[in-house]
Amino acid sequence: MSKTISLREVSGLIGITPQGLGKISNKEDSILKGNSRHFSPSTVRSILNDRGFTFPKKKVVFHCLKGGASKTTLAYNSAYRLSQFGAKVLLVDLDKQGNATQAFNLDNIDKCFVDVVTGASSIEETILNVGPHLDILPSTFRNARLEIELNNTNYNPKSFYSKLFGPIENDYDFIIFDLPPDLNRNTYLCTIYGDVICIPTNPDEFAVMGMKMTLESIDSIKEEFEDLNPETYIVWSKYDARETNSFHYITEFEKISNVNVMPVVIRSDSTFKNAQANKQSVFEVKKKSNAKEDVDILARELSGLREFFSPVGRA
Ligand SMILES: Nc1ncnc2c1ncn2[C@@H]1O[C@H](COP(=O)(O)OP(=O)(O)OP(=O)(O)O)[C@@H](O)[C@H]1O
Ligand SMILES: [Mg+2]
């Protein structure tokens, strides 16, 4: 996993010209690929730090009752992009299908989240490194026992996940959760722990129904715990401008809803599926794509980079 990003991309990230960045950055810190200079995640991090930007600490949960809505796709691709920006990222796969784990080509996983819940394994020994600045807490079908184990456990819902993740929380800027398409104990506890809940939703009837039920479950958590108020965003995905209905769902929903909508619509793009089939993130695919463009904006938005380096927000 090479993980470097080009000088041109970093210059776009911080809003200066490539020539300007070329002048202020050390040549020794870059890696030459063909004719262009590239930076490692730790170099990008120090370029951002030098300009006054530090990553916030956030727990981001990709959650939607509707299956196939892009939870895994957006979770692992944005985790990858954030780590390229130099953030320290842990991706937590809580879905027994293990799709996010498979996207990193990990086989023969012997420990997963259920072992942390039962105490059979510590969280530290369950986490695997998959590249610079990027770790994963993998999943296997054994996580199918998670609900049974949680049923048999006495827990305080507000502190359960923070106790489990407490030992490693400070090692990361972002802990990104990929949830299964369920509303159950596991998704309930994870939502309580999250700071930001992203609800990927496709512009179609069934997906919108699933999104509304997910929103209701978040509302009921907010009612139960009045001091909890996670930022909640709808993230429209699989948008196809050729389908008139797609646009209709997005605009109609925005008229009636008081929920935040992520200011990027993830377009329908076969790059997602192809990259996944090759066990890659879309950023490892060489050619330009809508997939890369859209997830790049999502990652900048989640990290606050977009606001910080916008002409208005720039320090
Ligand atoms: N914007 C997109 N454009 C085209 N294909 C997409 C897009 N987003 C996701 N996909 C594809 O749709 C399929 C389902 O996506 P994904 O697995 O991310 O959904 P999910 O919400 O995690 O599903 P599940 O509920 O089963 O966990 C995958 O094959 C993925 O590559
Ligand atoms: Mg999934």
Side-chain angles (χ1 to χ4, degrees), residues 50-186:
D50 288 347
R51 301 187 78 80
F53 180 83
T54 46
F55 287 101
K57 288 210 173 284
K58 279 191 185 170
K59 292 154 304 195
V60 182
V61 181
F62 284 86
H63 182 23
C64 186
L65 174 61
K66 175 73 175 69
S70 310
K71 293 179 285 296
T72 302
T73 303
L74 298 182
Y76 90 83
N77 282 297
S78 56
Y80 188 94
R81 191 57 168 168
L82 286 164
S83 68
Q84 281 189 312
F85 291 162
K88 293 179 183 161
V89 185
L90 171 66
L91 176 65
V92 181
D93 187 353
L94 289 184
D95 186 351
K96 58 189 174 298
Q97 297 176 99
N99 295 152
T101 304
Q102 289 147 15
F104 288 98
N105 208 6
L106 297 169
D107 291 323
N108 305 321
I109 303 296
D110 60 344
K111 296 184 185 90
C112 61
F113 187 62
V114 72
D115 301 309
V116 180
V117 169
T118 60
S121 169
S122 73
I123 190 147
E124 291 92 338
E125 62 186 345
T126 313
I127 291 173
L128 303 172
N129 177 254
V130 285
H133 286 222
L134 183 57
D135 291 348
I136 185 167
L137 196 158
S139 181
T140 71
F141 275 113
R142 288 198 306 105
N143 267 335
R145 284 196 57 79
L146 205 44
E147 285 305 297
I148 296 168
E149 296 298 345
L150 289 172
N151 265 330
N152 294 334
T153 309
N154 277 330
Y155 55 76
N156 173 344
K158 275 189 77 180
S159 57
F160 188 64
Y161 266 50
S162 40
K163 274 198 181 140
L164 293 181
F165 285 90
I168 50 90
E169 243 181 33
N170 281 334
D171 299 341
Y172 301 100
D173 302 305
F174 293 93
I175 305 183
I176 298 185
F177 292 88
D178 178 27
L179 290 187
D182 293 319
L183 294 176
N184 56 20
R185 270 167 209 267
N186 173 32

Side-chain angles (χ1 to χ4, degrees), residues 207-223:
V208 170
M209 266 166 55
M211 172 256 277
K212 286 182 178 164
M213 290 173 72
T214 311
L215 278 173
E216 279 168 23
S217 82
I218 295 168
D219 283 344
S220 70
I221 288 174
K222 286 183 189 166
E223 271 169 35

